[in-house]
Amino acid sequence: MLRSSALLRRLSTRGVDWNRLAQRATTDAARADFGRLRQQHDEMLKFITSAPEKVEPIDWDHWRKTIRTPGAVDAIKRAFDGLEVKNFDDQHVAAEATALFTQEVQKSESQVAEVKGLMSEIQSEIDKFNNMKPFEEMSPNEFLDMFPADKLRFDMEAELELYDTIDQGIWEPLKGFDLPEEHEEDSGH
């Protein structure tokens, strides 16, 4: 634990640009998560810096006097001296984390650009509707030119002869289709 605290202490000295990170939090939920992250970071930093810089050496003579089993302390000392704790090589992990972070930032930026493009398209559609002629003042051709999907549907329905366009220019369902009762009475059926 204490040997790893040296690594943690070294990692904790690397500066974190909190202002730059805070600018990326755009929603209230993201700001709350960011606040919790910063608080956890500060707590860990406080814990790490509270650990002693160097480990105090073990007083083996004290333990030989305290533990009276012959050879027990010497066996523990040999095992302890035989321990080999490798320092953690954080260069590989740091490089991998940096690459992953950069990739996620680029992905986020492309998503932001995509959303801005969609927002621009939507705003142009909204502007188109806000600036168009009221429906009541449009001719059928103007309406169909304004809404090509409806024109396509109308053309397909006309091909299927769903409307009788000869009778006074009014589209009425052809005979053979179910008509509402009041319409049947008006048409004399």
Side-chain angles (χ1 to χ4, degrees):
M1 169 66 186
L2 293 177
R3 290 183 186 191
S4 64
S5 68
L7 168 68
L8 293 174
R9 186 183 313 283
R10 191 177 54 187
L11 289 175
S12 68
T13 59
R14 295 182 181 178
V16 176
D17 188 356
W18 292 107
N19 291 330
R20 182 171 168 228
L21 290 174
Q23 290 173 351
R24 295 192 182 271
T26 56
T27 64
D28 290 338
R31 287 186 195 102
D33 288 341
F34 177 75
R36 282 191 294 278
L37 173 68
R38 187 163 186 182
Q39 181 182 6
Q40 288 176 349
H41 176 270
D42 292 343
E43 289 172 4
M44 290 299 294
L45 189 60
K46 184 178 176 183
F47 173 75
I48 291 166
T49 55
S50 69
E53 185 69 32
K54 295 197 177 216
V55 179
E56 292 182 28
I58 298 172
D59 185 3
W60 296 108
D61 291 330
H62 165 75
W63 290 106
R64 280 188 192 95
K65 292 175 189 172
T66 306
I67 300 174
R68 298 192 188 263
T69 306
V73 174
D74 292 331
I76 293 171
K77 184 178 185 310
R78 276 192 307 276
F80 181 78
D81 290 341
L83 284 176
E84 186 178 327
V85 179
K86 295 181 180 179
N87 284 337
F88 179 71
D89 180 21
D90 65 331
Q91 296 302 319
H92 173 68
V93 174
E96 188 177 314
T98 301
L100 182 61
F101 180 75
T102 303
Q103 180 183 5
E104 289 299 318
V105 167
Q106 290 172 347
K107 186 170 135 184
S108 298
E109 288 172 348
S110 69
Q111 289 173 341
V112 166
E114 183 180 332
V115 167
K116 284 183 178 180
L118 288 173
M119 289 172 57
S120 174
E121 290 176 24
I122 291 169
Q123 187 59 48
S124 68
E125 287 293 318
I126 290 172
D127 292 343
K128 175 180 150 185
F129 281 104
N130 287 339
N131 296 328
M132 76 178 190
K133 189 177 187 180
F135 290 120
E136 299 82 26
E137 297 174 12
M138 283 187 192
S139 70
N141 287 337
E142 288 175 324
F143 177 83
L144 294 175
D145 288 342
M146 181 76 65
F147 301 99
D150 289 330
K151 179 174 180 19
L152 179 63
R153 191 187 86 223
F154 172 73
D155 290 343
M156 289 173 58
E157 289 174 354
E159 266 185 49
L160 295 173
E161 297 179 353
L162 295 178
Y163 300 105
D164 182 6
T165 57
I166 298 172
D167 186 21
Q168 301 175 356
I170 300 172
W171 304 333
E172 290 187 17
L174 292 174
K175 297 177 182 175
F177 287 95
D178 292 332
L179 299 175
E181 290 182 21
E182 66 263 357
H183 186 67
E184 288 179 6
E185 293 172 7
D186 291 342
S187 62
H189 290 116

